[in-house]
């Protein structure tokens, strides 16, 4: 982890060299930060493998937009809630989006996430009819592994 954090402060050419070396030995990168700036997210978004943020619990719409520029998987297991603005930004990614920490999904957030076209995995345990209807419009693979039941669609 320390090498990744150090890389973020280095000039772009050197950062890219470190990124390429890390990518050569690992197809996934686990990042253990509790705060992520849009600038750091933009650098990390260039990593070609899976990105998993082990400790990140919240992110701004700007940080989400920077992460969403990637075509690889984004895994945010500790994020428990999304604003509509963050959901809208994350939905623009072409890669897989894993949000297993999101247990509740307001309808306005579900509507934004439905625009995502790749695999979307959520940890929701309950889903309102309105949120379910919004997610039904999702064009990609949708995984709701924690869902206990639905009343209707």
């Amino acid at each position: 982890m320390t090498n990744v954090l150090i890389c973020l402060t280095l000039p772009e050419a050197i950062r890219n060299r470190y990124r390429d070396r890390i990518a050569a030995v690992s197809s996934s990168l686990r990042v253990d930060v509790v705060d992520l700036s849009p600038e750091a997210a933009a650098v990390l978004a260039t990593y070609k493998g899976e990105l998993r943020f082990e400790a990140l619990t919240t992110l701004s719409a700007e940080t989400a937009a920077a992460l969403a520029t990637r075509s690889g998987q984004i895994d945010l297991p500790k994020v428990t809630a999304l604003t509509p603005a963050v959901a809208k930004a994350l939905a623009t990614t072409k890669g897989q989006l894993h949000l297993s920490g999101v247990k509740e999904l307001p309808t306005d957030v579900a509507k934004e996430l439905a625009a995502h076209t790749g695999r979307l995995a959520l940890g929701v345990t309950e889903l309102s009819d309105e949120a379910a209807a919004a997610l039904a419009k999702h064009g990609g693979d949708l995984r709701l592994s924690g869902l206990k039941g639905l009343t209707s669609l």
Side-chain angles (χ1 to χ4, degrees):
M1 287 313 150
T2 305
N3 289 342
V4 173
L5 296 176
I6 290 170
C7 286
L8 297 176
T9 63
L10 297 172
E12 184 175 1
I14 296 171
R15 250 191 347 246
N16 290 341
R17 210 172 330 147
Y18 272 106
R19 179 201 62 213
D20 295 342
R21 284 183 186 169
I22 292 168
V25 296
S26 177
S27 63
S28 67
L29 185 60
R30 298 185 189 286
V31 183
D32 197 14
V33 296
V34 294
D35 188 34
L36 185 64
S37 70
E39 297 80 14
V43 172
L44 289 168
T46 64
Y47 182 73
K48 301 296 182 204
E50 171 192 338
L51 265 182
R52 181 177 173 95
F53 293 89
E54 297 283 346
L56 194 63
T57 58
T58 61
L59 65 162
S60 68
E62 296 79 14
T63 297
L67 285 176
T69 60
R70 33 181 298 106
S71 58
Q73 179 174 320
I74 301 170
D75 193 354
L76 299 161
K78 301 290 186 199
V79 172
T80 58
L82 301 173
T83 65
V86 169
K88 183 176 185 172
L90 287 174
T92 63
T93 187
K94 303 290 186 238
Q96 298 179 29
L97 187 55
H98 291 252
L99 301 164
S100 59
V102 175
K103 305 295 183 200
E104 296 180 14
L105 195 66
T107 302
D108 55 349
V109 173
K111 286 179 181 177
E112 297 298 347
L113 288 176
H116 182 254
T117 57
R119 176 182 289 170
L120 175 61
L122 299 168
V124 294
T125 55
E126 295 180 14
L127 204 54
S128 71
D129 291 345
E130 295 80 13
L135 284 180
K137 296 176 182 169
H138 181 259
D141 182 18
L142 180 61
R143 298 190 181 220
L144 304 172
S145 58
L147 194 60
K148 296 175 184 169
L150 283 174
T151 55
S152 66
L153 270 184

